[in-house]
Amino acid sequence: MALEKTRAIVLKSFPYGDTSKIARCYTREFGKISVIGKGIRKSKALQSGYLEPLNYLDLMFYHNIKRQLQIFSGAEYVETWSALKKDVRKMSYGFAVAELTDKAVTGVEPHEELFQLIVDVLKSINDIDSNINLLFWYFEIHLLSLMGFHPSLSKCPRCHKELEGGRFSLEYGELVCDSCAGMGTLVSARAIGILRDTQHGTLEDVVSIVLRKGDRQEIGHFLSEYMKYHMEGLGEVKSLKVMEKVLA
């Protein structure tokens, strides 16, 4: 087994036995991997804290390509993102990013652009205090694109007319104009405009978008429906459901 070092985001972790911990990580060089910290929960070196969700690490582990579970060797923090972990709303959106990544990525192949997207969005959630949902929408739209599902937001994919409002069609799996839609979830021209800005803008651009009452529900619902349609077994994002209950 070779001792490897890579940048990593911890997506989730859980106890294993009485003394160990398993963590699922998305890494820059190795894609999604699982590591086990043997005896780490009773370690006097306080290594257990490294394998907590949303940690951004230089991760060291013993790599065996024939095994699904790699052996944790050690880690160092790249950034701590303390604000992200102290605020319930920020933390919930951070967990949602990790949850979507874990559900969407099924193979172990590395994807450096996806890794950087995760890092950039989590860092922005840590640094910014308002419109955090816009950062999450940015992540959803760009995750979809990187996974090969690029939402069509300019023209109807059926008749190629410019989209000025429309419906999300469960028949076609896309946003289509009213003439082509039949039944489907209504999406206003304003919401489509915000989605376009989110799709083509930078993270810095996105946080300056001004939202009105109703935008969050309409856009959030469309993106949720779109992702569930194209990503089999995605289901609800549990992290956001928990946040809604806590902050209700």
Side-chain angles (χ1 to χ4, degrees):
M1 292 187 293
L3 179 61
E4 302 285 2
K5 183 177 181 180
T6 183
R7 289 282 167 95
I9 298 289
V10 181
L11 303 177
K12 64 187 298 185
S13 64
F14 49 91
Y16 182 78
D18 293 330
T19 62
S20 301
K21 180 183 287 188
I22 292 175
R24 192 167 300 150
C25 307
Y26 195 76
T27 71
R28 186 170 62 190
E29 284 83 12
F30 298 90
K32 190 168 78 169
I33 63 171
S34 293
V35 297
I36 181 169
K38 294 185 176 180
I40 201 171
R41 290 164 58 209
K42 289 193 174 181
S43 169
K44 294 182 180 180
L46 301 178
Q47 291 259 32
S48 180
Y50 286 123
L51 298 184
E52 289 300 312
L54 306 182
N55 280 348
Y56 182 24
L57 307 170
D58 277 326
L59 175 69
M60 291 166 282
F61 65 100
Y62 289 98
H63 188 219
N64 185 336
I65 60 174
K66 296 181 180 180
R67 296 184 58 175
Q68 292 185 341
L69 197 58
Q70 311 305 322
I71 299 175
F72 174 79
S73 173
E76 295 177 351
Y77 292 108
V78 179
E79 296 182 42
T80 55
W81 294 335
S82 57
L84 170 63
K85 298 167 186 176
K86 292 178 180 177
D87 181 275
V88 172
R89 194 161 182 267
K90 286 175 180 277
M91 189 164 54
S92 296
Y93 276 110
F95 281 138
V97 168
E99 184 181 339
L100 277 183
T101 302
D102 191 29
K103 289 180 176 180
V105 179
T106 55
V108 297
E109 294 79 10
H111 195 309
E112 190 167 346
E113 194 173 353
L114 174 56
F115 178 81
Q116 195 59 50
L117 172 66
I118 299 166
V119 170
D120 290 345
V121 170
L122 290 177
K123 178 175 173 57
S124 295
I125 292 173
N126 179 77
D127 294 344
I128 294 168
D129 292 325
S130 61
N131 285 347
I132 300 174
N133 51 296
L134 282 162
L135 300 175
F136 184 64
W137 296 343
Y138 180 96
F139 177 75
E140 288 181 299
I141 288 176
H142 287 81
L143 174 65
L144 282 164
S145 295
L146 292 174
M147 299 300 291
F149 308 108
H150 191 74
S152 177
L153 300 171
S154 298
K155 294 184 178 181
C156 173
R158 301 295 299 169
C159 67
H160 307 294
K161 291 180 181 178
E162 292 291 331
L163 280 173
E164 297 179 359
R167 293 179 181 272
F168 176 63
S169 169
L170 290 176
E171 181 179 357
Y172 305 118
E174 286 292 347
L175 188 63
V176 298
C177 70
D178 287 329
S179 299
C180 297
M183 300 295 291
T185 302
L186 183 67
V187 185
S188 67
R190 174 177 169 77
I192 292 173
I194 293 172
L195 286 163
R196 284 182 194 143
D197 290 342
T198 305
Q199 187 179 60
H200 298 294
T202 65
L203 279 166
E204 291 75 15
D205 296 330
V206 164
V207 294
S208 65
I209 295 173
V210 178
L211 297 178
R212 297 176 184 170
K213 185 178 180 180
D215 289 340
R216 288 177 173 83
Q217 183 174 356
E218 182 180 4
I219 295 171
H221 180 68
F222 164 72
L223 286 171
S224 176
E225 290 298 303
Y226 193 99
M227 295 196 79
K228 284 189 286 187
Y229 182 94
H230 289 282
M231 295 184 178
E232 186 176 352
L234 182 64
E236 297 290 341
V237 181
K238 295 178 182 178
S239 305
L240 297 184
K241 292 293 183 184
V242 171
M243 179 187 68
E244 290 171 2
K245 291 181 180 178
V246 171
L247 298 180

